[in-house]
Amino acid sequence: MRLYISKLLTVILPVIGVLCIFGFAFAGNIFYGWVIFVALALLSGLINTIFFRCPHCGKSIPANSTVNQKYCPLCGEDLGMKPSRISYYGRCHKDKHGCMRGYTIVGPMVFIVCFIILLLIIIVVFGIDSLTKVMGRTAVIAGFAISVVLALFCRIVVSSAVKLDDKAIYFSKVPFFWRKYDMDDIRSWAKDIEPFYHVNRGYVFATSKGVVEIPMATYAGGQELFNTFTDKIGKELPDVRPDLVISKHSEQARADEDRYVETVKRYTVLCQVGR
């Protein structure tokens, strides 16, 4: 079985199982839905264990490494798969003013999934006829609001957005609130504190506003954004593998954290002496 097929089945089978739960709930026998869900979830795990293996070393790739996995986490060889776009800056484009924008689909995906699930629950509990009544409409509005809140929460916790033009880079963790960092300021500080890539924090660089961490990843839309930004500040692109982004407990992650701590200390010293 091809890697991308096994990866696709690993993701899709549990989703089908969830849909079966709701389908049998409509039919009046949710027990069979749960049986199918458990069976498909187990089958998904077996497929991941048996078939999602590195074609080079032959070892099974951990399930938590399959989201944006391009290289084998065990031997380091290229798996030959395209990484998922459900990640930092999975989309990247230039607007009519030439400003490059990187964004994710984490928030919208969470909203869609949550709202569909809540809508199905409302239909199961109150019946499909309730959607035309006050109680049903109220429940739908409440489900919509809950989905928006969850989407915003996930957007803040695990996602972000970034804009880049010739003069500055703009970073947003909270929707509609942007922080601006001038490119000249970044170039000036880069002479004293070398920017580097942190597997957990992203691209780390110093500015007059402090040490900044922008979670750029070198896959999907983030690749173009990362290349453009490093070129604008006159630095070489770090050699970063996409799988390192999720290797939060690796030796590389610990080494990067030590370097980050030293960077913050050096930044503090430079500020105290007036640079």
Side-chain angles (χ1 to χ4, degrees):
M1 184 183 296
R2 294 181 179 273
L3 283 179
Y4 74 90
I5 295 178
S6 61
K7 179 179 180 179
L8 184 65
L9 289 174
T10 301
V11 175
I12 289 180
L13 289 178
V15 175
I16 295 175
V18 172
L19 294 177
C20 287
I21 292 176
F22 288 107
F24 278 95
F26 288 135
N29 198 333
I30 195 172
F31 172 77
Y32 292 110
W34 277 105
V35 171
I36 294 176
F37 169 76
V38 172
L40 291 178
L42 292 173
L43 180 59
S44 172
L46 287 174
I47 290 176
N48 186 87
T49 303
I50 297 174
F51 296 103
F52 199 74
R53 292 178 173 273
C54 174
H56 303 282
C57 66
K59 295 181 180 180
S60 178
I61 302 171
N64 63 349
S65 298
T66 61
V67 178
N68 287 303
Q69 198 69 26
K70 177 175 173 58
Y71 297 91
C72 175
L74 304 173
C75 68
E77 293 295 331
D78 194 334
L79 297 175
M81 293 196 313
K82 293 182 178 180
S84 169
R85 288 186 177 272
I86 305 177
S87 57
Y88 283 118
Y89 315 136
R91 300 288 187 273
C92 186
H93 75 281
K94 288 184 178 180
D95 60 20
K96 60 182 180 180
H97 303 294
C99 180
M100 184 174 292
R101 296 173 178 266
Y103 57 97
T104 72
I105 59 173
V106 173
M109 285 293 293
V110 170
F111 169 77
I112 293 172
V113 172
C114 288
F115 185 64
I116 291 176
I117 291 175
L118 290 175
L119 184 62
L120 290 173
I121 291 174
I122 291 169
I123 294 174
V124 170
V125 174
F126 298 104
I128 193 168
D129 294 336
S130 67
L131 298 181
T132 60
K133 300 177 181 179
V134 176
M135 180 179 293
R137 291 177 179 176
T138 303
V140 171
I141 293 174
F144 181 88
I146 292 172
S147 300
V148 170
V149 172
L150 289 174
L152 288 174
F153 176 77
C154 291
R155 163 69 167 76
I156 294 171
V157 174
V158 302
S159 184
S160 60
V162 66
K163 297 187 297 184
L164 178 66
D165 59 27
D166 292 334
K167 296 182 179 180
I169 185 169
Y170 307 81
F171 179 63
S172 171
K173 192 66 177 175
V174 179
F176 310 115
F177 292 92
W178 294 89
R179 295 180 180 180
K180 178 182 177 181
Y181 304 100
D182 292 329
M183 208 64 67
D184 290 337
D185 185 31
I186 297 173
R187 294 191 193 100
S188 174
W189 276 93
K191 298 175 182 177
D192 297 313
I193 298 179
E194 185 75 15
F196 72 98
Y197 191 88
H198 191 295
V199 297
N200 292 333
R201 300 176 182 273
Y203 199 51
V204 179
F205 56 91
T207 71
S208 58
K209 298 179 181 179
V211 177
V212 182
E213 311 148 20
I214 295 185
M216 296 183 191
T218 56
Y219 49 79
Q223 179 68 63
E224 183 181 1
L225 185 68
F226 201 19
N227 287 344
T228 304
F229 179 65
T230 52
D231 183 61
K232 286 181 180 296
I233 63 175
K235 294 295 179 180
E236 294 183 1
L237 183 69
D239 182 18
V240 183
R241 289 181 172 181
D243 53 298
L244 286 181
V245 178
I246 56 175
S247 301
K248 296 183 178 181
H249 304 291
S250 65
E251 292 183 5
Q252 183 64 46
R254 289 192 289 270
D256 284 353
E257 186 62 21
D258 291 339
R259 183 174 180 180
Y260 175 79
V261 172
E262 290 299 321
T263 296
V264 173
K265 290 181 179 178
R266 177 170 171 75
Y267 179 85
T268 303
V269 171
L270 287 173
C271 290
Q272 290 174 347
V273 300
R275 197 163 166 252

